[in-house]
Amino acid sequence: MDRFRLGLVGIGKIARDQHLPAVARNDRFTLAAIASRHGQVDGVPNYPDTAAMIAGTELDAVSFCTPPEGRYELARIAIEAGKHVMLEKPPAATLSEIEALADFARSRNVTLFTSWHSREAAGVGPARNWLSRREIKAVRIHWREDIRRWHPGQEWILAAGGFGVFDPGINALSIATAILPAPLFVEAATMDVPAGRAGPLAAELQLRCGGAKGYASFDFLQTGPQTWDIEVDTDAGTLRLSLGGSVLQLPGEAECTEPDQEYPRLYARFAELLATGGSDVDLRPMRLVADAFLLAERRETEAFAF
């Protein structure tokens, strides 16, 4: 079986923690080159930018781990060169950008994969199957983590186009849109934005799923144990997903827990798309974030420093 020659763009925390180990464990990929101004990978050619990497190394596909701001231009370079593309979430800074990339990828007959890693958590698939046969009564999302732990010194995340607390919050929305049997809508929202910043550190959303009400609470300042929980009340009891979807508890049953395999599963999915010539572009989580920004009451809070 042929291996796909992969280029990786952006060697930051997420690439080192998740992408590099997942690629190394997948026998369908060979890491052929990287493009990074600040990172190196031993034994792999390093280029200063995407264009130089594509010009200097034979590649089949490119995986982008850069911040969403500016990613459209980089991904377009790869697609224009006929390379298949995988995008870390969020896939781009705006909906218009990712829709344009999807159209461009179709016109060039290359694969585009907008990856949502949290959907690959062990409990998500079983939760979707169970909920498909239930009537939804209510949805509650609590997604709270420590920005200084997961994004140390990453000023871009609170800048315009950086998503703020929706960078992790979109993970919750990616799970919710995957498991709920009816569309999810934002009806109202509030955002707490620190003075001098563009992105929020906290947000609350009022949601609707069919005839059921929902609520989401996102917080980027939670220290100690982190909270990544979704609860769905149904006509058969309450389903609970915790630890980012890795722990599933169905009504009357014991918790079901499996080890983290999110990024290995993403790259397995990317390899499948490359083998079949398909694309996977799901914009529902990003649309909900865009709707939240359109509807939200913005409240200025005290200044924040890393």
Side-chain angles (χ1 to χ4, degrees):
M1 186 179 296
D2 292 338
R3 295 169 71 100
F4 299 110
R5 298 162 297 185
L6 182 73
L8 197 61
V9 180
I11 306 299
K13 181 175 172 55
I14 191 65
R16 293 193 180 279
D17 289 352
Q18 300 289 354
H19 287 261
L20 290 174
V23 171
R25 292 168 54 187
N26 192 308
D27 61 7
R28 299 301 311 280
F29 291 101
T30 297
L31 183 60
I34 64 169
S36 176
R37 290 173 293 175
H38 307 295
Q40 299 270 346
V41 176
D42 291 344
V44 179
N46 182 37
Y47 296 88
D49 55 49
T50 302
M53 181 184 71
I54 291 172
T57 303
E58 289 292 328
L59 298 173
D60 300 302
V62 180
S63 181
F64 287 91
C65 311
T66 57
E69 181 77 10
R71 194 185 290 162
Y72 168 81
E73 290 80 7
L74 302 179
R76 186 177 174 87
I77 290 170
I79 293 170
E80 190 166 25
K83 311 306 176 186
H84 306 291
V85 167
M86 171 173 161
L87 302 172
E88 174 64 67
K89 63 85 195 170
T94 68
L95 281 167
S96 295
E97 287 182 348
I98 189 57
E99 288 171 345
L101 284 179
D103 289 341
F104 190 43
R106 279 192 294 270
S107 74
R108 304 292 291 193
N109 198 31
V110 301
T111 290
L112 181 63
F113 180 28
T114 56
S115 67
W116 301 104
H117 67 82
S118 290
R119 287 182 173 175
E120 303 300 332
V124 173
R128 178 175 56 248
N129 293 338
W130 191 84
L131 289 172
S132 68
R133 307 185 300 275
R134 315 297 177 199
E135 179 185 351
I136 307 302
K137 301 290 189 180
V139 180
R140 293 178 296 279
I141 299 171
H142 298 282
W143 219 260
R144 302 166 183 164
E145 62 181 57
D146 184 355
I147 187 175
R148 294 182 176 93
R149 174 178 173 185
W150 301 104
H151 299 276
Q154 295 180 13
E155 300 286 347
W156 63 265
I157 206 165
L158 294 178
F163 286 73
V165 75
F166 285 95
D167 182 81
I170 204 170
N171 295 335
L173 297 175
S174 75
I175 293 175
T177 51
I179 66 174
L180 293 171
L184 194 62
F185 298 97
V186 179
E187 294 193 316
T190 59
M191 295 184 188
D192 294 341
V193 183
R197 303 281 189 171
L201 277 175
E204 294 185 355
L205 310 182
Q206 301 299 322
L207 305 169
R208 175 168 51 86
C209 177
K213 294 293 185 179
Y215 170 81
S217 172
F218 303 146
D219 191 337
F220 232 167
L221 295 177
Q222 178 158 300
T223 57
Q226 309 288 272
T227 302
W228 301 301
D229 298 339
I230 297 176
E231 295 182 336
V232 184
D233 295 340
T234 76
D235 56 341
T238 298
L239 173 148
R240 294 180 176 85
L241 279 170
S242 55
L243 292 181
S246 62
V247 179
L248 171 65
Q249 185 169 27
L250 298 175
E253 299 184 16
E255 289 185 348
C256 180
T257 306
E258 292 186 24
D260 174 22
Q261 294 291 319
E262 292 179 11
Y263 280 84
R265 289 175 176 171
L266 281 184
Y267 276 95
R269 173 63 174 154
F270 192 31
E272 176 184 296
L273 291 170
L274 296 181
T276 60
S279 286
D280 186 346
V281 180
D282 185 354
L283 303 185
R284 289 176 295 167
M286 198 161 171
R287 285 198 183 98
L288 291 173
V289 172
D291 289 348
F293 273 91
L294 282 170
L295 294 171
E297 172 193 351
R298 295 170 64 90
R299 304 181 298 203
E300 184 174 295
T301 60
E302 63 182 20
F304 171 83
F306 283 93

